[in-house]
Structures are given as structure tokens and as C-alpha cells.
């Protein structure tokens, strides 16, 4: 059972519209979930409209509404055309005495009455013990038995505040699954980070159903994470869940986007870093065989591997990253790319795929028969001086030194270049654009230029953390293209 739309929506600050609930429900159905808890019908008119929309969407999954042990809750669920109800009855003395201000026998009778009422109205009933992990097990079992006699189809054991430990879960589920004649499900919360462990322990000990949410969202520390349980069963226990695992990542993204709850970068399987590699030595292993540093291939859950380069980058990590981008480089190009990556890394930047692509493409252009090469470059700029650039170029084997002023440092630099190459070509700068590829003032800057010479037009780019150097690089790149094409 997926309860993203009910317990997941109880995450503080989350409220899903009908359309959003429908998107998520369709995705859960496509994944192959057996039951979708679509909401709590008693909550509001809007909530009932959403649940009804999910019920009437023609999905394969059983559609369920949460209900308290009260007949009006069941009536509201019936209005929503659901197949089943998750009928929750408090079972610990704390909840019975303090919250409800009732006693065990009254609560037992309420559970029986409402179960019978729901069954009389054609609903599938999952009778659920709230705070079961703090309840007296003898009382709980007798309440469950009475529920079965009243017609309950399934039972649920809730670890409402996340206090279970796996050994206890195993004991309890061995007991419940052998002594009761209806299937028992497990509902966990992650207050101590044990929701997934307890859920798996329960399933191994005889639970027939588990309540889970996408990304583990839910009240407080959240619920059992669906993607973790599915992949643990599939990969670690070799159990075929029937879930379309390669849609798990997309589902995670969809839920994160619609609920506005970000997924931690280090979250298992679906976190941003779960299939991202940086350290040089690991990438070397990955190049030989991706299973050296990956438990499963990212494609299993519909993801892609990411190679992030930084100051630790070695040539093997850059090679792998370039391979993933489909770029071939020779040794001198590789040396230049690696130097630029490390330069960014030294600024504390992580080099993204987009950064690397820009760097590589620029280097590939420059190192293809450049007739004009940069040897030296100086710029003077400030509020009391006229921006002045001096430049030393190697133009077809001859050293040329020039200087020029300009309206700003970029203008001065480009004027100096134009003067230096005037003997070879008269180049006109037609257009100039700057983009920061990633955020921050130390980000890689990409400069695009459009240059023309005798009616011929080329575009070229440069990529550096320094905007002036990126501009110089772009212009030289374009000049080399114009000369080469002569
Ligand atoms: Mn819950």
C-alpha cells in the first residue's frame, strides 16, 4: 500500500490539489502498487473531491480512504466511491485513556460496530491498531480477532511514533501472522530511522502488506520509504515485488516536485548523490567495471550515473565523464581539459556535466590547428584608470605584442586582439553574450561571440571562471575558425 496521498500529505506544509493527487495516483498505479490510500474522506470537501477523482480514474489499484472508528467517517468514505477503508482504532492505553478518554472494552465495541457497518456497505476493511507497538499484545490480538469476526478483511499494526526495533517486529509478526486468520500489514514511522528496517523485518516474519510513502515523506520524520523497501526486497532478498522499478526515480522526482519536499542529497537510491562519483580512484574502478563502486546500476531505478569533477579529478575521471558526454579527446587536449577542471576545483567548485561539456568543446576547438595562440595577457582596470589591455599573441609563428584601451576591460581586451591580428585579418565583432553556467560569482562563465570577416560569419565560445579570459578565448577561437576556413 502506498500512503503518499494520505500519511505523506500529512507532512507539515504539504497540501495537494485534486490534479496533483491524480498525477501521483496514476504514477503509483503505473508502478504497480496494489493499494493506494488516497486521503482521509472526513478531512474536507476538497479532500473528498480529490479522493473521488482518484477512485473514478479507472486505476488497477484498490483505492482506500483513512477512517476513524466513527460511522460518519465511513459515510464520507462511501461518498468518495472508494474500494476500501483503512479503519484506525487506538489500541494503546495511552491513546485509549488519554486521547479518547474511554476504556478498552468501549474501544473494542466501537471497532466491531464500525467494521460491521462498513462491511454492510460493501467496503473492504483493513482494521488498524493505532499505536499498536505500545499496546498490550494480548488485548490487541483479541481486538483483532473480534474485528475478523465482524468481517475485517485485513489487519494493520501501526508503529505510530516509530518506537519499534527490528527484533521486536520479528517476534510480533511471527506471533500475529500465525495466530490470526486475516493478513496483517505493517505501518511504520521513521522517528529513529528504523521505519524501513522494521517494515522489512515484518514482511520477512509474515506481514502480507506494508504501508509506504514515496521518498519516505510523512508526519515528523516521515514514513517507510517505498523505493527503499522495494529495492531491498528486489535486490537484497531477490524477491519479485512486481513493481516497475525503473519508474521509481521518476516517481520520486514527481512527488518531490508536487509536494515541494526536497529529497536529501544523500538519500538512499533517489538522493542527488546516490549515483554521483567524484574521487579519482573510484572513477578509475568504475571505468573498469561500474559494479566496483555501485551496488546497482542507476538504470535499474531509471536514473543516470553522474561524474562530478573537482580538485581530486584524475585523468580517468575526466575520461569517463567525457565518454558519458560522447566526446573523444587526444592527450594534449586531455591535459588542457584536466588543468581547467582542477582550476575550477581549486576554487571550490564542483564541475558539472554542463561545465565539462563547455570546457571540452572549447578545448577541442582551440587545439584544432590554431594559427593564433595566446601567449600573454594583462589587463588594468579600476575606477580611476582607463581600462587598458596588453596582449602577446603568436600569429602563425610570429610573436605580436599590442595594447589597447576600451570602454571596459572586455572591450579593451578585444580591441588589443583586433590590433594584434590586423596584419592577418580584419575581424568584426558582431555579437557578444555572457552566461554563467552554474550559480555563484566563482562559476564557470561562458562567452559566446559572433565574428565576421569579409561577409563570412562564425560563432565561437570561451569558458573560464574569469569573464575577461573567457572573452579573449572566445574571440581567439572565432578568429582561428575564420582564418582556418580561408
Ligand atoms: Mn501514520
Amino acid at each position: 500500500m502506498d500512503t503518499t496521498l494520505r500519511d505523506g500529505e500529512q507532512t507539515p506544509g504539504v497540501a495537494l490539489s485534486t490534479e496533483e493527487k491524480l498525477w501521483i495516483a496514476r504514477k503509483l498505479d503505473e508502478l504497480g502498487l496494489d493499494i493506494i490510500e488516497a486521503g482521509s474522506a472526513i478531512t474536507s470537501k476538497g479532500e473528498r473531491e480529490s479522493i473521488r477523482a482518484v477512485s473514478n480514474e479507472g486505476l488497477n489499484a484498490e483505492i482506500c480512504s483513512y477512517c476513524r472508528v466513527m460511522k460518519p467517517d465511513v459515510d464520507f468514505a462511501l461518498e468518495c466511491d472508494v474500494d476500501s477503508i483503512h479503519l484506525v482504532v487506538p489500541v494503546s492505553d495511552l491513546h485509549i485513556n488519554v486521547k479518547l478518554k474511554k476504556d478498552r472494552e468501549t474501544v473494542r465495541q466501537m471497532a466491531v460496530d464500525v467494521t460491521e457497518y462498513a462491511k454492510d456497505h460493501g467496503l473492504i476493511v483493513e482494521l488498524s491498531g493505532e499505536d499498536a507497538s505500545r499496546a498490550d499484545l494480548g488485548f490487541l490480538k483479541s481486538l483483532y480477532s473480534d474485528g475478523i469476526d465482524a468481517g475485517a478483511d485485513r489487519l494493520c499494526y501501526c508503529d505510530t511514533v516509530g518506537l519499534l526495533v527490528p527484533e521486536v517486529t520479528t517476534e510480533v509478526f511471527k506471533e500475529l501472522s500465525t495466530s490470526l486468520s486475516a493478513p496483517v500489514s505493517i505501518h511504520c514511522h521513521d522517528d529513529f530511522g528504523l521505519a524501513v528496517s522494521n517494515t522489512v523485518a515484518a514482511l520477512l516474519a509474515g506481514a502480507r502488506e506494508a504501508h509506504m510513502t514515496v521518498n519516505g515523506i510523512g508526519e515528523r520524520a516521515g514514513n517507510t520509504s517505498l523505493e527503499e523497501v522495494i529495492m531491498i526486497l528486489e535486490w537484497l532478498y531477490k524477491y519479485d515485488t512486481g513493481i516497475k522499478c525503473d519508474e521509481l526515480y521518476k516517481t520520486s522526482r514527481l512527488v518531490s516536485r508536487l509536494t515541494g519536499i526536497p529529497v536529501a542529497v544523500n538519500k538512499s537510491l533517489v538522493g542527488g548523490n546516490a549515483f554521483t562519483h567524484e574521487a579519482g580512484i573510484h572513477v578509475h574502478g568504475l571505468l573498469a567495471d561500474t559494479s566496483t563502486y555501485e551496488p546497482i546500476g542507476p538504470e535499474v531505478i531509471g536514473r543516470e550515473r553522474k561524474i562530478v569533477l573537482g580538485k581530486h579529478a584524475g585523468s580517468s575521471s575526466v575520461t569517463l565523464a567525457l565518454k558519458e558526454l560522447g566526446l573523444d579527446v587526444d592527450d594534449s587536449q586531455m591535459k588542457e581539459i584536466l588543468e581547467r577542471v582542477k582550476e575550477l576545483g581549486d576554487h571550490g567548485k564542483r564541475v558539472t556535466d554542463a561545465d565539462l561539456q563547455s570546457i571540452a568543446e572549447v578545448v577541442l576547438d582551440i587545439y584544432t590547428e590554431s594559427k593564433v595562440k595566446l601567449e600573454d595577457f594583462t589587463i588594468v582596470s579600476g575606477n580611476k584608470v582607463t581600462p587598458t589591455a596588453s596582449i602577446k599573441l603568436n600569429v602563425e609563428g610570429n610573436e605580436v605584442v599590442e595594447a589597447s584601451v576600451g570602454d571596459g576591460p572586455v572591450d579593451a581586451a578585444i580591441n588589443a586582439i583586433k590590433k594584434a591580428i590586423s596584419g592577418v585579418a580584419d575581424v568584426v565583432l558582431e555579437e557578444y553574450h555572457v552566461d554563467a553556467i552554474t550559480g555563484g560569482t566563482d562559476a564557470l562563465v561562458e562567452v559566446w561571440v559572433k565574428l565576421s570577416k569579409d561577409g563570412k560569419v562564425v560563432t565561437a565560445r570561451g569558458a573560464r571562471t574569469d569573464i575577461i579570459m573567457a572573452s579573449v578565448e572566445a574571440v581567439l577561437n572565432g578568429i582561428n575558425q575564420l582564418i582556418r576556413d580561408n
Side-chain angles (χ1 to χ4, degrees), residues 244-274:
K244 256 173 103 177
C245 299
D246 59 357
E247 290 295 320
L248 283 171
Y249 183 62
K250 273 191 206 151
T251 310
S252 162
R253 297 311 309 151
L254 178 72
V255 168
S256 176
R257 187 160 53 81
L258 295 183
T259 58
I261 305 292
V263 174
V265 290
N266 62 335
K267 167 87 166 63
S268 310
L269 302 162
V270 294
N273 284 350

Side-chain angles (χ1 to χ4, degrees), residues 87-107:
L87 181 61
V88 178
V89 49
V91 289
S92 67
D93 289 334
L94 178 68
H95 276 238
I96 290 171
N97 301 333
V98 178
K99 187 178 81 170
L100 289 185
K101 308 220 184 301
K102 295 192 189 323
D103 56 44
R104 288 183 183 187
E105 291 318 308
T106 309
V107 165

Side-chain angles (χ1 to χ4, degrees), residues 287-469:
L287 256 183
D289 183 340
T290 52
S291 70
T292 48
Y293 290 100
E294 281 176 351
I296 59 170
E299 67 285 351
V300 173
I301 58 162
R303 293 194 71 166
E304 285 175 5
R305 178 174 304 116
K306 260 199 192 153
I307 307 298
V308 172
L309 306 167
K311 66 177 181 181
H312 305 298
S315 59
S316 53
S317 40
V318 176
T319 304
L320 179 59
L322 290 170
K323 210 170 97 185
E324 300 262 326
L325 291 173
L327 294 170
D328 269 329
V329 299
D330 65 27
D331 289 350
S332 67
Q333 290 164 341
M334 172 56 90
K335 192 163 162 276
E336 178 65 22
I337 292 170
L338 193 56
E339 258 169 40
R340 291 181 184 216
V341 165
K342 282 176 182 286
E343 189 184 301
L344 270 174
D346 282 340
H347 286 93
K349 291 296 290 183
R350 288 175 27 145
V351 181
T352 65
D353 292 0
D355 290 335
L356 183 67
Q357 181 140 21
S358 297
I359 291 171
E361 283 172 2
V362 166
V363 169
L364 288 181
D365 275 348
I366 293 173
Y367 280 72
T368 326
E369 301 171 52
S370 308
K371 290 186 178 169
V372 179
K373 288 184 186 130
L374 180 67
E375 306 244 296
D376 216 344
F377 175 72
T378 314
I379 189 91
V380 181
S381 182
N383 65 339
K384 295 268 170 65
V385 293
T386 306
T388 308
S390 64
I391 196 158
K392 192 203 277 183
L393 295 180
N394 183 317
V395 182
E396 298 182 306
N398 304 312
E399 199 170 271
V400 184
V401 181
E402 272 297 347
S404 183
V405 293
D407 287 337
V410 172
D411 188 46
I414 289 165
N415 288 342
I417 295 172
K418 281 160 80 172
K419 273 167 87 174
I421 59 145
S422 59
V424 185
D426 275 328
V427 171
V428 181
L429 176 63
E430 306 271 358
E431 273 179 50
Y432 175 89
H433 293 285
V434 185
D435 282 311
I437 296 182
T438 40
T441 52
D442 58 352
L444 187 70
V445 171
E446 191 169 86
V447 172
W448 287 79
V449 293
K450 191 194 266 185
L451 299 176
S452 68
K453 174 176 156 302
D454 308 328
K456 190 184 289 177
V457 180
V458 296
T459 57
R461 55 186 181 164
R464 295 277 185 172
T465 44
D466 178 324
I467 187 172
I468 299 162
M469 281 307 298

Side-chain angles (χ1 to χ4, degrees), residues 1 6-7 37 64-69 85-92 95 99 107 110-112 114-115 124-133 135 139-140 143-144 147-148 152-160 173 176 183-189 209 211:
M1 177 203 266
R6 199 277 298 172
D7 223 346
E37 189 173 28
C64 178
S65 170
Y66 179 96
C67 285
R68 297 169 302 172
V69 268
I85 56 168
H86 175 211
L87 181 61
V88 178
V89 49
V91 289
S92 67
H95 276 238
K99 187 178 81 170
V107 165
M110 287 164 69
V112 167
V114 180
T115 298
I124 298 168
V125 176
E126 179 166 328
L127 180 62
S128 189
E130 185 180 25
D131 205 26
S133 51
F139 169 67
L140 182 64
L143 182 140
Y144 280 155
I148 293 170
D153 301 273
R154 305 188 293 259
L155 307 164
C156 178
Y157 183 97
C158 296
D159 184 24
T160 302
F173 272 82
L176 296 179
V184 188
S185 71
I186 176 83
H187 179 109
C188 292
H189 278 268
E209 178 193 335
H211 293 193

